[in-house]
């Protein structure tokens, strides 16, 4: 029974299997002949943190495959977590009602805790600033779809690299492939934590750290913009100091390569000017759409279907 708690649960073979399956799911959606693989199954989507894309695309993925959905929104107030029930006890109950448990939670390690007692596969839909493996998968899928490869790519991540859980999850996946070169652009307060940098060094992945966009835009295939994660800051003053650290403006487009793409996990708050949306390099809404196909593949994968 595979769980998807973080990148550690996705080896290279699993990654490639899921990406190939996601491409099939995309084709089936377009042709309107999605296999009803999850007929008779129940997927519990339990969210203790706000979400638009992740929750709704997991639910849509389950419904498209013929499953039914148990949906917990605002779990922190709408479930017995409000009364003090632990994630572990909640997971025990979910195991007896559903076939797959999808969890988003503000606490790092919450999905891991749930999986330690659950008797059904658990998918981590984001645990605090720790990991967000399904987002990393859909980001890999998007790069593969656009470039036909996931190797020899120059990828810049800008913004909040301290708290960006999609970034924390994708590093291991990018490290499976040779020649990927990373640029990390952030204010020093939001730099990528040491543990991830040490991992990249161990894997001989070349990376550069900088605190401005200068000299990077014309080099990269992917410019991945991240939101400053307001909800993770302990002091609002610390957030205020860095919240507008980087804004991608229409005037930057002239420096970005013609065949590059701009990605963002969304929601976009104040990081990308809306004038950029009409540019063919703006890939973020297509990226979010890919999330549906990847999550369909993921639901089938955890049930061994
Ligand atoms: C991301 C998340 O929740 O970590 N969003 C998402 O899942 N699409 C990024 C973010 O909230 O900024």
């Amino acid at each position: 029974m595979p769980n998807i708690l973080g990148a550690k649960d996705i080896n290279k073979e699993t990654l490639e299997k899921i990406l190939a399956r996601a491409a099939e799911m995309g084709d089936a959606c377009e042709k309107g002949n999605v296999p009803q693989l999850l007929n008779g199954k129940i997927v519990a989507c339990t969210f203790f943190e706000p979400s638009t894309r992740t929750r709704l695309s997991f639910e849509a993925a389950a419904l498209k495959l013929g499953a039914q959905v148990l949906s917990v929104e605002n779990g922190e107030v709408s479930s017995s977590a409000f009364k003090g029930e632990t994630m572990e006890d909640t997971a025990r109950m979910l195991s007896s009602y559903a076939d797959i448990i999808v969890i988003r939670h503000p606490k790092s390690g919450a999905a891991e805790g749930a999986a330690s007692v659950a008797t059904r596969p658990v998918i981590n839909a984001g645990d605090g600033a720790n990991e967000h493996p399904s987002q990393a998968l859909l980001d890999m899928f998007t790069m593969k779809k656009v470039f036909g490869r996931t190797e020899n790519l120059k990828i810049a991540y800008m913004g909040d690299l301290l708290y960006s859980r999609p970034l924390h999850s994708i590093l291991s996946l990018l490290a499976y492939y040779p020649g990927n070169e990373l640029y990390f652009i952030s204010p020093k307060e939001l730099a990528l934590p040491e543990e991830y940098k040490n991992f990249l060094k161990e894997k001989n992945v070349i990376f550069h750290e900088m605190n401005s966009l200068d000299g990077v835009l014309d080099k990269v295939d992917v410019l991945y913009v991240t939101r400053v994660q307001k909800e993770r800051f302990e002091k609002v003053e610390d957030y205020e100091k860095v919240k507008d650290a980087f804004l991608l403006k229409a005037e930057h487009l002239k420096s970005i390569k013609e065949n590059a793409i701009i990605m963002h996990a969304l929601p976009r708050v104040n990081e990308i000017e809306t004038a950029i949306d009409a540019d063919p390099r703006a890939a973020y809404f297509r990226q979010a759409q890919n999330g549906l196909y990847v999550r369909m593949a993921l639901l089938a994968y955890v049930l061994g279907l």
Side-chain angles (χ1 to χ4, degrees):
M1 189 191 71
N3 295 307
I4 301 287
L5 304 175
K8 69 170 172 36
D9 298 313
I10 309 169
N11 62 26
K12 192 176 177 192
E13 194 191 335
T14 304
L15 167 64
E16 292 181 352
K17 194 166 150 180
I18 294 170
L19 297 193
R21 196 69 183 288
E24 284 170 27
M25 295 295 185
D27 287 346
C29 285
E30 259 167 45
K31 294 196 185 103
N33 61 355
V34 176
Q36 298 299 285
L37 295 172
L38 266 65
N39 212 343
K41 305 287 186 198
I42 295 180
V43 179
C45 293
T46 45
F47 279 60
F48 296 83
E49 250 192 2
S51 169
T52 297
R53 277 147 290 270
T54 306
R55 186 170 67 85
L56 297 180
S57 65
F58 262 118
E59 295 194 2
L63 295 170
K64 281 208 174 262
L65 290 166
Q68 299 193 70
V69 170
L70 288 179
S71 188
V72 177
E73 227 188 309
N74 302 321
E76 65 286 9
V77 288
S78 71
S79 77
S80 286
F82 186 74
K83 303 178 187 170
E85 186 164 51
T86 63
M87 193 62 238
E88 283 74 7
D89 284 357
T90 305
R92 284 189 177 95
M93 298 327 302
L94 292 169
S95 294
S96 59
Y97 307 144
D99 300 281
I100 301 175
I101 304 168
V102 179
I103 298 173
R104 168 171 287 189
H105 200 281
K107 217 172 96 219
S108 289
E112 190 98 40
S116 70
V117 295
T119 55
R120 303 292 186 176
V122 174
I123 300 177
N124 178 9
D127 63 325
N130 184 33
E131 288 223 38
H132 192 353
S134 67
Q135 181 71 44
L137 285 167
L138 80 89
D139 293 345
M140 292 297 281
F141 181 78
T142 300
M143 292 182 208
K144 173 103 190 191
K145 200 164 166 177
V146 171
F147 299 104
R149 64 179 201 276
T150 47
E151 59 193 35
N152 295 320
L153 290 171
K154 289 193 186 344
I155 306 170
Y157 273 87
M158 77 181 232
D160 183 349
L161 314 185
L162 172 63
Y163 297 123
S164 171
R165 52 196 181 189
L167 169 61
H168 300 164
S169 285
I170 206 173
L171 293 174
S172 309
L173 309 186
L174 289 170
Y176 291 143
Y177 298 94
N180 289 325
E181 192 169 336
L182 302 173
Y183 297 79
F184 296 126
I185 311 159
S186 74
K188 63 176 184 329
E189 296 89 338
L190 298 178
L192 186 69
E194 285 304 315
E195 56 176 299
Y196 297 105
K197 289 191 253 176
N198 291 338
F199 167 80
L200 293 172
K201 284 180 198 154
E202 249 169 58
K203 300 282 171 190
N204 296 316
V205 177
I206 298 177
F207 68 90
H208 316 274
E209 288 190 278
M210 44 248 307
N211 42 35
S212 110
L213 291 174
D214 296 345
V216 181
L217 295 182
D218 59 345
K219 286 200 183 71
V220 299
D221 304 299
V222 177
L223 176 62
Y224 199 119
V225 184
T226 65
R227 174 179 69 92
V228 178
Q229 307 276 300
K230 182 177 184 183
E231 63 276 31
R232 312 265 176 246
F233 286 77
E234 274 168 26
K235 291 195 224 131
V236 72
E237 311 85 83
D238 292 345
Y239 167 71
E240 293 292 331
K241 251 191 264 164
V242 289
K243 75 178 192 327
D244 297 321
F246 292 104
L247 168 63
L248 194 67
K249 298 189 183 133
E251 69 193 52
H252 286 124
L253 285 172
K254 60 180 186 309
S255 313
I256 299 175
K257 287 203 290 193
E258 211 171 303
N259 57 356
I261 56 169
I262 300 164
M263 296 178 68
H264 192 309
L266 303 176
R268 169 236 332 248
V269 184
N270 185 32
E271 310 85 46
I272 302 182
E273 277 187 357
T274 52
I276 292 179
D277 300 355
D279 190 282
R281 289 166 289 184
Y284 27 94
F285 295 116
R286 284 176 275 143
Q287 175 188 353
Q289 163 106 38
N290 290 334
L292 173 64
Y293 313 138
V294 168
R295 290 178 174 124
M296 288 168 76
L298 204 48
L299 293 176
Y301 169 77
V302 295
L303 289 184
L305 296 169

